[in-house]
Amino acid sequence: QSALTQPASVSGSPGQSITISCTGTSSDVGGYKYVSWYQQHPGKAPKLMISDVSNRPSGVSNRFSGSKSGNTASLTISGLQAEDEADYYCSSYTSSSTLVFGGGTKLTVL
Amino acid sequence: EVQLVQSGAEVKKPGESLKISCKGSGYSFNSYWIGWVRQMPGKGLEWMGIIYPGDSDTRYSPSFQGQVTISADKSISTAYLQWSSLKASDTAMYYCVRPMYSNSWYRMDYWGQGTLVTVSS
């Protein structure tokens, strides 16, 4: 199975909104509602930010939102803050009953 | 409080065997899937596989099938990831993970602190 496709990097200024895409196939992203997004700061373990395409776990800021259209899922961060600078990864359930991650996106807050 | 506590960093030589652990506490260990995620130095996350301690049902990523073994010991609430013959390319941080809900193994709500494995001659 191939990794999901994410842009290598995105950037935005404080207060702006950015969107990170995650493109797969009908056998993963497009076929199921089991897409998750993770935030990872340097030297730290990842943190779940979005599950089931658009659900925010308890404690996650409502500035983070998720959506999906066809084979592409998206993570939107509104009101960018300096603390949002991190790596972001998507993951999806697959038709083989496995999980696959995206390659990761480095978010820079200018 | 749910906690996943992993074993400490390891330095091994190519060809050696290794078993790292992940001890769960604060919940019914038998009832939740435990997964493993690899992160090679400076690289992204890779899903390796999962196990359901209650019945030892195990699933592997095709990329890791036959390369590692995932197991669990219910009696001590501990999951394991093991190699029979390490390679330099196994050098990475390994995380154990657990979902919030017992039937939602596709999401990784809880993460261990990570175990750094270094394989070098």
Side-chain angles (χ1 to χ4, degrees):
Chain A
Q1 61 198 25
S2 300
L4 306 175
T5 301
Q6 298 181 231
S9 63
V10 299
S11 63
S13 299
Q16 287 185 331
S17 294
I18 63 95
T19 296
I20 300 171
S21 61
C22 170
T23 301
T25 69
S26 58
S27 296
D28 38 64
V29 174
Y32 306 94
K33 289 190 66 176
Y34 303 138
V35 175
S36 302
W37 289 91
Y38 300 87
Q39 175 193 65
Q40 186 180 33
H41 287 110
K44 301 292 188 183
K47 174 186 177 183
L48 178 65
M49 304 302 284
I50 296 287
S51 70
D52 302 275
V53 174
S54 59
N55 291 338
R56 266 190 318 276
S58 175
V60 173
S61 170
N62 59 11
R63 298 185 298 105
F64 292 82
S65 62
S67 63
K68 189 183 82 161
S69 177
N71 296 337
T72 298
S74 299
L75 172 71
T76 298
I77 308 174
S78 59
L80 264 183
Q81 299 180 0
E83 69 209 48
D84 299 332
E85 186 163 293
D87 294 326
Y88 291 84
Y89 297 90
C90 61
S91 74
S92 174
Y93 177 83
T94 81
S95 58
S96 302
S97 295
T98 61
L99 280 182
V100 62
F101 278 105
T105 298
K106 182 177 180 59
L107 168 62
T108 300
V109 180
L110 301 170
Chain B
E1 178 194 8
V2 173
Q3 284 196 318
L4 299 174
V5 178
Q6 298 184 228
S7 49
E10 302 273 2
V11 179
K12 291 290 193 178
K13 289 181 167 40
E16 292 186 331
S17 63
L18 176 64
K19 194 173 189 177
I20 63 174
S21 66
C22 170
K23 183 173 176 61
S25 63
Y27 70 98
S28 174
F29 183 77
N30 292 358
S31 302
Y32 291 81
W33 294 87
I34 291 272
W36 290 93
V37 174
R38 182 175 82 173
Q39 188 167 37
M40 299 174 74
K43 302 298 184 183
L45 305 175
E46 299 173 271
W47 186 79
M48 302 177 73
I50 50 169
I51 187 166
Y52 188 76
D55 61 6
S56 294
D57 183 12
T58 309
R59 305 174 191 181
Y60 292 92
S61 162
S63 300
F64 292 95
Q65 180 83 48
Q67 308 304 308
V68 297
T69 300
I70 294 172
S71 61
D73 185 337
K74 294 186 291 187
S75 67
I76 55 172
S77 301
T78 300
Y80 300 98
L81 178 65
Q82 69 181 86
W83 296 259
S84 58
S85 180
L86 286 161
K87 301 185 282 285
S89 57
D90 293 317
T91 294
M93 181 72 82
Y94 293 88
Y95 294 100
C96 63
V97 295
R98 201 214 87 169
M100 174 67 76
Y101 307 109
S102 60
N103 62 346
S104 304
W105 62 264
Y106 54 85
R107 53 184 283 175
M108 292 161 267
D109 293 80
Y110 298 99
W111 292 68
Q113 83 276 20
T115 295
L116 181 62
V117 173
T118 303
V119 183
S120 174
S121 54

